[in-house]
Amino acid sequence: MSISSEHKPLGKQVTGSLHTHVTRSTGADPCMIGSKKEQLSPIVELNVGGEMYTTTLSTLKKHPGSKLAEMFTGQPKLRRDSEGRFFIDRPGTYFKYILEYLRSNQVPTQCIQDVYKEALFYDIEPLIKQLEDSPQIFGELVARKQFLARVPNYSENIELMIRIARAEAVASRCSGVIVCVVRTEEDAARCQDALNSLDTDKKSVVKFGPWKAAPSISDLLDCIQMDVEAKGYKISFQPHVAEKGFRFKSHDFFYKFLFTWW
C-alpha cells in the first residue's frame, strides 16, 4: 500500500514536466499542438457552378480589396467539391471573363450585363468601373434607370400589373391590364376626369406618372414592356379604345397591356 501511494504523485509530476518541456521547447500553445493551417498551392483548381477552371493564386488575389481575393487570403473560406476543387456557387459561364480580366486586363465585350453582375459579386472595383463606362451599362444605369427613378412608384406598379394579369388568367389564354400614363400634372388632372368615365373597374387601372424628365410616354411604355418581359412574361400593348360616348380620347392616356400565357 505504501509503495502504491508513493508512485501515484510521481507519475503526475513526470507527466506535468513532460507537458511543460514540450510547451517550452516548441513555444506553442498546448491547445494548438497537432493543428495546422492549410497551405494553398500556387496553382488553384476551381469549380464555379459546375464549370472547371485552373489558375494561379496570384491571379485570384490580383486586387487585394476584392471579395475574390478575400476568399483565398489566410485560411480558405470556400468548400471543396468531391475532387478537392474549391467550389464557388455562382454562374460558371461568366467566370471566364472575370479570369480574362484578372490575367490580362481585358474588358469583356460579350454578355456585358451578366459579367457586370459577377464583377459586382466578386467586388472587383476596376472591372466594375470599366464595365459601367460601356454603352450597355451606361445606358441602363445612367439613362434608363435615372429616368425611371423619376417616375413615382414605377417598380410597385410593374408588380401590380403582374398581379392583376395573373388574377385574370384563370381558364384563359390572355389577360389584359389597363394602364394610365400621364407625363404632366395637367395631364394627371385630365386623366382623373377620364378615369371617372372609363368603362372599367377603376381599381384595375394602373397609373404611371407624372414625371419630370425628357423621355416621352412612348419611352415609358417601352420601359414597362421591357421590364415585364425581363421577368419572363410575354406581353404586348396598344392604345385602349373605349366604348362610344366616352367623353375623352382614351388613347391620350390609356393603354391595354396584353399578357399571353400559352
Side-chain angles (χ1 to χ4, degrees):
M1 292 292 292
S2 60
I3 294 175
S4 175
S5 61
E6 289 177 359
H7 278 284
K8 284 183 180 179
L10 181 59
K12 288 182 180 178
Q13 289 176 359
V14 170
T15 303
S17 62
L18 285 173
H19 181 77
T20 303
H21 175 70
V22 170
T23 303
R24 287 176 179 172
S25 62
T26 61
D29 185 334
C31 297
M32 295 297 295
I33 296 175
S35 65
K36 282 185 178 181
K37 285 188 176 181
E38 181 180 355
Q39 296 297 318
L40 288 179
S41 167
I43 306 300
V44 180
E45 292 188 342
L46 299 170
N47 176 347
V48 185
E51 298 283 342
M52 310 308 165
Y53 295 94
T54 301
T55 186
T56 65
L57 187 60
S58 59
T59 295
L60 296 171
K61 297 172 67 174
K62 183 174 182 179
H63 297 285
S66 69
K67 182 177 178 180
L68 183 62
E70 178 64 21
M71 290 177 180
F72 296 93
T73 299
Q75 283 289 85
K77 302 168 181 63
L78 298 170
R79 293 174 293 174
R80 293 180 183 266
D81 66 10
S82 59
E83 300 296 325
R85 294 174 289 240
F86 288 108
F87 178 73
I88 301 177
D89 193 13
R90 295 294 295 179
T93 304
Y94 310 115
F95 190 72
K96 65 181 179 181
Y97 300 109
I98 300 293
L99 274 184
E100 285 178 6
Y101 177 78
L102 294 175
R103 288 167 174 161
S104 59
N105 290 324
Q106 180 179 341
V107 179
T109 57
Q110 303 177 48
C111 308
I112 301 296
Q113 297 281 357
D114 294 304
V115 176
Y116 179 67
K117 293 178 184 177
E118 297 310 297
L120 288 173
F121 173 79
Y122 294 114
D123 195 20
I124 304 173
E125 192 63 30
L127 177 56
I128 292 171
K129 290 181 178 179
Q130 291 185 67
L131 288 173
E132 287 178 349
D133 284 337
S134 68
Q136 299 93 323
I137 303 298
F138 179 87
E140 175 68 14
L141 295 180
V142 177
R144 201 177 83 92
K145 289 295 186 185
Q146 289 297 317
F147 160 53
L148 296 178
R150 301 184 184 188
V151 180
N153 304 314
Y154 177 80
S155 297
E156 293 84 348
N157 284 339
I158 292 291
E159 295 301 327
L160 178 58
M161 285 179 62
I162 292 172
R163 288 200 300 271
I164 293 173
R166 292 174 69 93
E168 296 182 359
V170 178
S172 60
R173 183 171 186 177
C174 302
S175 53
V177 178
I178 305 300
V179 168
C180 174
V181 182
V182 292
R183 183 176 177 182
T184 67
E185 294 289 349
E186 292 76 10
D187 285 345
R190 294 172 58 208
C191 175
Q192 188 58 48
D193 290 338
L195 187 60
N196 292 333
S197 302
L198 190 63
D199 54 326
T200 187
D201 182 2
K202 298 173 189 177
K203 293 181 181 179
S204 65
V205 177
V206 182
K207 180 182 175 184
F208 288 85
W211 63 86
K212 294 181 180 180
S216 65
I217 286 177
S218 62
D219 293 326
L220 180 66
L221 293 170
D222 288 340
C223 287
I224 294 172
Q225 181 174 15
M226 183 185 307
D227 289 329
V228 173
E229 287 180 340
K231 295 179 180 292
Y233 296 92
K234 185 178 179 180
I235 189 174
S236 61
F237 68 89
Q238 61 187 18
H240 175 63
V241 180
E243 293 181 353
K244 292 182 179 180
F246 187 60
R247 294 188 294 118
F248 297 86
K249 291 188 297 181
S250 60
H251 59 265
D252 286 346
F253 307 113
F254 298 99
Y255 299 84
K256 186 172 185 178
F257 278 81
L258 196 65
F259 288 72
T260 302
W261 303 105
W262 49 275

